[in-house]
Amino acid sequence: MASSQANLDKMQLRQSYRNLWHSDLTNTIQADFPYCCLALWCGPCVSYMLRKRALYNDMSRYVCCAGYMPCSGKCGESRCPEFCLATEVFLCFGNSVASTRFLLQDEFNIQTTKCDNCIIGFMFCLQQIACIFSIVAAIVGSEELSEASQILSCLSDMVYCSVCACMQTQHKIEMDKRDGKFGPQPMAVPPMQQMSRIDQPIPPPVGYTPQQPAYGQPYGGYPPAPPAQGYPPAAYPPAGYPQGGAYPPPGSYPPPGSYPPQGSYPPPQGYYGK
């Protein structure tokens, strides 16, 4: 019960993943056509190699169906992991492909695109329709329904094998990216940066969309403008200074009309003439 709940939690968590596969299912044939043909004609062998590679060639980490099935951890995998993996890929081929997919998605936080979901859903629906037609044809005994069920079964098998081959090629390309087989990633152009001023309390965001300012806050982080004042300010001049038209102030030094003081200095010789 606890393991099933944990798997449900993983499925819900997988919906919040944001990374994408390096190549979607529709482009895997073009991305690696030889490997796609190998996965089509020898699917179990490719599934064995991909699972071992997904575990970084450390088979001590192997668990049946990567721990996503009820039988996981109960098949004696620790004693002979290679034999258990070979049994898994041949007897439960579909589960082995899906388990490797879930393992990579959980490791790299990869989501499945809507297009990939439609392809996988179409594969399952076609298998269900073919199964229903086969049951109805066996009950009714009609030759027409029997032929139609055989055609649907053949078509569903073709779709199943081709989709599994594309999925395994997708997994291989993703692990090639993980192992650096595509070479170093080219450097992306850095986003435009803004200088942070000393009067700006919060630096501008870099690489993200700036948020709208809260109500009552200035836009863009600028300080609020000072309040408008008249000229001269209301507190000018300060107390103690003379008011307008009273300069020099009364009683200041020297008194008006007393400069130079009378008789303070003798006149120079010859000043008054001979």
Side-chain angles (χ1 to χ4, degrees):
M1 187 67 181
S3 60
S4 60
Q5 183 62 35
N7 291 333
L8 291 176
D9 295 339
K10 285 184 179 180
M11 292 177 62
Q12 293 179 356
L13 181 63
R14 206 172 287 130
Q15 296 177 358
S16 63
Y17 291 164
R18 290 294 177 264
N19 296 328
L20 299 176
W21 294 99
H22 187 76
S23 177
D24 55 9
L25 290 178
T26 57
N27 295 324
T28 52
I29 299 177
Q30 181 181 0
D32 198 339
F33 180 74
Y35 198 88
C36 191
C37 293
L38 177 63
L40 179 64
W41 296 108
C42 192
C45 298
V46 172
S47 181
Y48 183 96
M49 292 186 296
L50 290 178
R51 177 67 64 78
K52 186 176 180 180
R53 186 178 173 187
L55 297 173
Y56 297 90
N57 296 321
D58 184 9
M59 292 303 293
S60 62
R61 301 173 52 191
Y62 170 76
V63 180
C64 181
C65 296
Y68 297 105
M69 298 297 168
C71 61
S72 301
K74 303 176 182 178
C75 302
E77 301 95 329
S78 59
R79 293 192 297 270
C80 190
E82 289 82 3
F83 177 77
C84 291
L85 179 57
T87 304
E88 175 190 340
V89 298
F90 278 100
L91 299 183
C92 306
F93 173 70
N95 288 337
S96 68
V97 175
S99 299
T100 304
R101 185 178 186 85
F102 296 153
L103 189 65
L104 294 175
Q105 283 185 292
D106 292 338
E107 181 179 0
F108 301 113
N109 294 337
I110 301 175
Q111 64 172 331
T112 302
T113 61
K114 294 182 179 180
C115 181
D116 290 359
N117 282 330
C118 290
I119 294 174
I120 297 173
F122 173 74
M123 175 187 68
F124 286 131
C125 289
L126 194 59
Q127 288 179 339
Q128 298 297 326
I129 293 174
C131 181
I132 292 172
F133 265 76
S134 299
I135 295 174
V136 172
I139 294 175
V140 176
S142 175
E143 294 183 0
E144 291 79 4
L145 287 177
S146 179
E147 292 179 359
S149 65
Q150 292 178 3
I151 294 174
L152 281 175
S153 297
C154 182
L155 182 61
S156 65
D157 291 341
M158 291 175 59
V159 172
Y160 174 78
C161 292
S162 59
V163 171
C164 286
C166 291
M167 289 176 65
Q168 296 201 94
T169 306
Q170 187 182 48
H171 303 164
K172 183 257 184 184
I173 294 173
E174 194 66 30
M175 284 187 281
D176 286 345
K177 176 184 175 181
R178 178 197 70 182
D179 298 338
K181 293 189 176 182
F182 293 150
Q185 297 293 331
M187 294 183 63
V189 178
M192 182 178 62
Q193 298 183 358
Q194 302 178 15
M195 296 183 63
S196 176
R197 300 184 305 277
I198 193 171
D199 60 346
Q200 196 169 359
I202 301 175
V206 178
Y208 297 94
T209 304
Q211 298 180 355
Q212 294 295 331
Y215 181 76
Q217 298 294 328
Y219 184 83
Y222 290 95
Q229 295 181 354
Y231 185 83
Y236 184 86
Y241 277 79
Q243 301 298 322
Y247 189 85
S252 60
Y253 183 85
S258 61
Y259 187 86
Q262 297 293 331
S264 58
Y265 296 98
Q269 294 181 2
Y271 180 77
Y272 296 104
K274 294 181 180 179

